Short mmCIF file of all heavy atoms in Angstrom, two decimals:
data_model
loop_
_atom_site.label_atom_id
_atom_site.label_comp_id
_atom_site.label_asym_id
_atom_site.label_seq_id
_atom_site.Cartn_x
_atom_site.Cartn_y
_atom_site.Cartn_z
N TYR A 8 20.33 104.09 106.99
CA TYR A 8 20.00 104.77 105.74
C TYR A 8 21.01 105.89 105.49
O TYR A 8 21.49 106.51 106.44
CB TYR A 8 18.61 105.40 105.84
CG TYR A 8 17.47 104.42 105.70
CD1 TYR A 8 17.11 103.59 106.75
CD2 TYR A 8 16.75 104.35 104.52
CE1 TYR A 8 16.05 102.70 106.62
CE2 TYR A 8 15.69 103.47 104.39
CZ TYR A 8 15.34 102.65 105.44
OH TYR A 8 14.30 101.79 105.32
N PRO A 9 21.29 106.22 104.22
CA PRO A 9 22.18 107.34 103.93
C PRO A 9 21.64 108.63 104.56
O PRO A 9 20.43 108.91 104.45
CB PRO A 9 22.15 107.43 102.40
CG PRO A 9 21.73 106.08 101.95
CD PRO A 9 20.81 105.56 103.00
N LYS A 10 22.50 109.40 105.21
CA LYS A 10 22.05 110.61 105.91
C LYS A 10 21.43 111.62 104.95
O LYS A 10 20.58 112.41 105.36
CB LYS A 10 23.20 111.23 106.69
CG LYS A 10 24.29 111.85 105.85
CD LYS A 10 25.40 112.43 106.71
CE LYS A 10 26.51 113.06 105.87
NZ LYS A 10 27.59 113.56 106.71
N GLU A 11 21.82 111.59 103.68
CA GLU A 11 21.32 112.58 102.72
C GLU A 11 19.83 112.44 102.44
O GLU A 11 19.20 113.39 101.99
CB GLU A 11 22.09 112.49 101.40
CG GLU A 11 23.51 112.98 101.48
CD GLU A 11 24.47 111.94 102.07
OE1 GLU A 11 24.12 110.75 102.12
OE2 GLU A 11 25.56 112.35 102.49
N ILE A 12 19.25 111.26 102.67
CA ILE A 12 17.84 111.07 102.34
C ILE A 12 16.93 111.09 103.56
O ILE A 12 15.73 110.84 103.44
CB ILE A 12 17.62 109.76 101.54
CG1 ILE A 12 17.95 108.54 102.39
CG2 ILE A 12 18.42 109.77 100.25
CD1 ILE A 12 17.51 107.22 101.76
N LYS A 13 17.49 111.40 104.73
CA LYS A 13 16.71 111.38 105.97
C LYS A 13 16.73 112.75 106.65
O LYS A 13 17.62 113.56 106.42
CB LYS A 13 17.24 110.30 106.91
CG LYS A 13 16.96 108.88 106.44
CD LYS A 13 15.48 108.67 106.37
CE LYS A 13 15.09 107.24 106.09
NZ LYS A 13 13.63 107.08 106.08
N PRO A 14 15.76 113.02 107.53
CA PRO A 14 15.69 114.31 108.22
C PRO A 14 16.89 114.59 109.13
O PRO A 14 17.59 113.67 109.56
CB PRO A 14 14.42 114.20 109.07
CG PRO A 14 13.59 113.17 108.39
CD PRO A 14 14.58 112.19 107.82
N PHE A 15 17.08 115.86 109.44
CA PHE A 15 18.25 116.32 110.21
C PHE A 15 18.33 115.75 111.61
O PHE A 15 19.41 115.65 112.17
CB PHE A 15 18.25 117.85 110.28
CG PHE A 15 17.21 118.42 111.21
CD1 PHE A 15 17.52 118.68 112.54
CD2 PHE A 15 15.93 118.70 110.76
CE1 PHE A 15 16.57 119.20 113.40
CE2 PHE A 15 14.98 119.23 111.61
CZ PHE A 15 15.30 119.48 112.93
N TYR A 16 17.22 115.37 112.20
CA TYR A 16 17.20 114.97 113.61
C TYR A 16 17.52 113.49 113.84
O TYR A 16 17.58 113.04 114.98
CB TYR A 16 15.84 115.30 114.24
CG TYR A 16 14.66 114.75 113.47
CD1 TYR A 16 14.30 113.41 113.56
CD2 TYR A 16 13.93 115.57 112.63
CE1 TYR A 16 13.24 112.91 112.84
CE2 TYR A 16 12.85 115.08 111.92
CZ TYR A 16 12.51 113.75 112.03
OH TYR A 16 11.46 113.26 111.31
N MET A 17 17.74 112.73 112.80
CA MET A 17 18.06 111.31 112.97
C MET A 17 19.52 111.16 113.36
O MET A 17 20.39 111.85 112.86
CB MET A 17 17.74 110.55 111.70
CG MET A 17 16.26 110.52 111.41
SD MET A 17 15.88 109.46 110.04
CE MET A 17 14.11 109.53 110.06
N ARG A 18 19.79 110.22 114.28
CA ARG A 18 21.13 110.06 114.85
C ARG A 18 22.14 109.58 113.82
O ARG A 18 21.96 108.54 113.18
CB ARG A 18 21.12 109.10 116.03
CG ARG A 18 22.46 109.13 116.77
CD ARG A 18 22.40 108.30 118.04
NE ARG A 18 23.42 108.71 118.98
CZ ARG A 18 24.70 108.41 118.88
NH1 ARG A 18 25.15 107.71 117.86
NH2 ARG A 18 25.54 108.81 119.81
N LEU A 19 23.22 110.34 113.68
CA LEU A 19 24.30 110.01 112.77
C LEU A 19 25.11 108.85 113.33
O LEU A 19 25.51 108.87 114.49
CB LEU A 19 25.20 111.22 112.56
CG LEU A 19 26.31 111.11 111.54
CD1 LEU A 19 25.75 110.86 110.14
CD2 LEU A 19 27.16 112.36 111.56
N ASN A 20 25.33 107.83 112.51
CA ASN A 20 26.13 106.68 112.93
C ASN A 20 27.62 107.02 112.92
O ASN A 20 28.03 108.03 112.35
CB ASN A 20 25.86 105.48 112.02
CG ASN A 20 24.46 104.94 112.21
OD1 ASN A 20 23.96 104.85 113.33
ND2 ASN A 20 23.81 104.61 111.12
N ASP A 21 28.41 106.17 113.51
CA ASP A 21 29.85 106.38 113.61
C ASP A 21 30.54 106.45 112.25
O ASP A 21 31.63 107.00 112.13
CB ASP A 21 30.51 105.30 114.47
CG ASP A 21 30.11 105.41 115.93
OD1 ASP A 21 29.67 106.51 116.36
OD2 ASP A 21 30.22 104.40 116.64
N ASP A 22 29.91 105.89 111.21
CA ASP A 22 30.53 105.93 109.88
C ASP A 22 30.41 107.30 109.22
O ASP A 22 30.97 107.53 108.16
CB ASP A 22 29.94 104.84 108.97
CG ASP A 22 28.45 105.04 108.68
OD1 ASP A 22 27.89 106.12 108.99
OD2 ASP A 22 27.84 104.11 108.13
N ASP A 23 29.66 108.22 109.82
CA ASP A 23 29.46 109.59 109.33
C ASP A 23 28.77 109.62 107.97
O ASP A 23 28.80 110.62 107.27
CB ASP A 23 30.79 110.35 109.27
CG ASP A 23 30.58 111.86 109.21
OD1 ASP A 23 29.63 112.36 109.84
OD2 ASP A 23 31.35 112.54 108.51
N ARG A 24 28.14 108.51 107.58
CA ARG A 24 27.46 108.44 106.28
C ARG A 24 26.00 108.03 106.41
O ARG A 24 25.20 108.32 105.53
CB ARG A 24 28.16 107.45 105.34
CG ARG A 24 29.58 107.82 104.97
CD ARG A 24 30.22 106.81 104.02
NE ARG A 24 30.19 105.43 104.52
CZ ARG A 24 29.40 104.45 104.05
NH1 ARG A 24 28.61 104.67 103.04
NH2 ARG A 24 29.44 103.24 104.57
N THR A 25 25.67 107.33 107.50
CA THR A 25 24.32 106.78 107.65
C THR A 25 23.69 107.21 108.98
O THR A 25 24.38 107.65 109.89
CB THR A 25 24.34 105.24 107.59
OG1 THR A 25 25.16 104.74 108.65
CG2 THR A 25 24.88 104.75 106.25
N VAL A 26 22.35 107.05 109.04
CA VAL A 26 21.61 107.31 110.27
C VAL A 26 20.88 106.03 110.68
O VAL A 26 20.63 105.15 109.85
CB VAL A 26 20.59 108.46 110.09
CG1 VAL A 26 21.31 109.76 109.80
CG2 VAL A 26 19.58 108.15 109.01
N THR A 27 20.54 105.94 111.98
CA THR A 27 19.83 104.78 112.49
C THR A 27 18.33 105.01 112.31
O THR A 27 17.75 105.87 112.96
CB THR A 27 20.15 104.56 113.97
OG1 THR A 27 21.56 104.40 114.11
CG2 THR A 27 19.46 103.33 114.52
N ALA A 28 17.73 104.26 111.37
CA ALA A 28 16.32 104.43 111.05
C ALA A 28 15.76 103.15 110.46
O ALA A 28 16.51 102.25 110.09
CB ALA A 28 16.16 105.58 110.07
N MET A 29 14.43 103.09 110.39
CA MET A 29 13.77 101.96 109.73
C MET A 29 12.49 102.47 109.09
O MET A 29 11.89 103.44 109.53
CB MET A 29 13.48 100.83 110.72
CG MET A 29 12.62 101.20 111.93
SD MET A 29 10.84 101.46 111.69
CE MET A 29 10.28 99.91 111.11
N ASP A 30 12.09 101.83 108.02
CA ASP A 30 10.83 102.13 107.34
C ASP A 30 10.18 100.81 106.96
O ASP A 30 10.86 99.85 106.61
CB ASP A 30 11.06 102.93 106.06
CG ASP A 30 11.57 104.34 106.32
OD1 ASP A 30 11.11 104.96 107.30
OD2 ASP A 30 12.42 104.81 105.56
N VAL A 31 8.85 100.79 107.02
CA VAL A 31 8.09 99.67 106.47
C VAL A 31 7.48 100.20 105.17
O VAL A 31 6.68 101.13 105.19
CB VAL A 31 6.98 99.20 107.44
CG1 VAL A 31 6.13 98.12 106.80
CG2 VAL A 31 7.61 98.69 108.74
N LEU A 32 7.93 99.62 104.06
CA LEU A 32 7.51 100.07 102.74
C LEU A 32 6.57 99.04 102.11
O LEU A 32 6.81 97.84 102.18
CB LEU A 32 8.73 100.27 101.85
CG LEU A 32 9.82 101.19 102.40
CD1 LEU A 32 11.04 101.16 101.50
CD2 LEU A 32 9.30 102.60 102.56
N VAL A 33 5.50 99.53 101.49
CA VAL A 33 4.54 98.68 100.80
C VAL A 33 4.59 99.02 99.32
O VAL A 33 4.42 100.19 98.95
CB VAL A 33 3.11 98.90 101.36
CG1 VAL A 33 2.09 98.09 100.56
CG2 VAL A 33 3.05 98.54 102.83
N PRO A 34 4.84 98.02 98.48
CA PRO A 34 4.90 98.28 97.04
C PRO A 34 3.62 98.96 96.54
O PRO A 34 2.52 98.58 96.90
CB PRO A 34 5.05 96.88 96.42
CG PRO A 34 5.67 96.06 97.52
CD PRO A 34 5.07 96.61 98.80
N GLY A 35 3.80 99.99 95.74
CA GLY A 35 2.66 100.71 95.19
C GLY A 35 2.06 101.75 96.12
O GLY A 35 1.23 102.55 95.71
N ILE A 36 2.46 101.73 97.40
CA ILE A 36 1.93 102.68 98.38
C ILE A 36 3.05 103.56 98.92
O ILE A 36 2.94 104.76 98.97
CB ILE A 36 1.22 101.96 99.55
CG1 ILE A 36 -0.01 101.22 99.03
CG2 ILE A 36 0.84 102.95 100.64
CD1 ILE A 36 -0.71 100.37 100.05
N GLY A 37 4.12 102.94 99.35
CA GLY A 37 5.25 103.67 99.93
C GLY A 37 5.38 103.37 101.42
O GLY A 37 4.96 102.31 101.88
N GLU A 38 5.91 104.34 102.15
CA GLU A 38 6.16 104.15 103.59
C GLU A 38 4.85 104.20 104.37
O GLU A 38 4.07 105.13 104.22
CB GLU A 38 7.09 105.24 104.11
CG GLU A 38 7.36 105.14 105.60
CD GLU A 38 8.16 106.32 106.13
OE1 GLU A 38 8.98 106.88 105.39
OE2 GLU A 38 7.95 106.66 107.30
N ILE A 39 4.62 103.19 105.22
CA ILE A 39 3.44 103.22 106.09
C ILE A 39 3.83 103.36 107.55
O ILE A 39 3.04 103.81 108.36
CB ILE A 39 2.53 101.98 105.90
CG1 ILE A 39 3.29 100.68 106.20
CG2 ILE A 39 1.94 101.97 104.49
CD1 ILE A 39 2.40 99.45 106.27
N ILE A 40 5.05 102.96 107.90
CA ILE A 40 5.57 103.12 109.25
C ILE A 40 7.04 103.51 109.13
O ILE A 40 7.77 102.94 108.33
CB ILE A 40 5.47 101.82 110.08
CG1 ILE A 40 4.03 101.35 110.18
CG2 ILE A 40 6.08 102.00 111.47
CD1 ILE A 40 3.88 99.96 110.79
N GLY A 41 7.44 104.48 109.92
CA GLY A 41 8.84 104.88 109.92
C GLY A 41 9.30 105.17 111.34
O GLY A 41 8.49 105.49 112.21
N GLY A 42 10.57 105.04 111.56
CA GLY A 42 11.10 105.33 112.89
C GLY A 42 12.59 105.56 112.82
O GLY A 42 13.25 105.21 111.84
N SER A 43 13.11 106.21 113.87
CA SER A 43 14.54 106.47 113.91
C SER A 43 14.98 106.75 115.33
O SER A 43 14.18 107.13 116.18
CB SER A 43 14.90 107.67 113.04
OG SER A 43 14.40 108.87 113.62
#
Side-chain angles (χ1 to χ4, degrees):
Y8 283 77
K10 69 181 181 183
E11 289 80 18
I12 65 169
K13 290 297 188 178
F15 73 92
Y16 52 79
M17 294 187 175
R18 189 173 202 284
L19 185 62
N20 291 319
D21 292 339
D22 64 12
D23 198 35
R24 297 181 305 108
T25 60
V26 296
T27 303
M29 57 74 61
D30 293 321
V31 175
L32 306 173
V33 175
I36 296 175
E38 178 186 330
I39 59 170
I40 301 171
S43 69

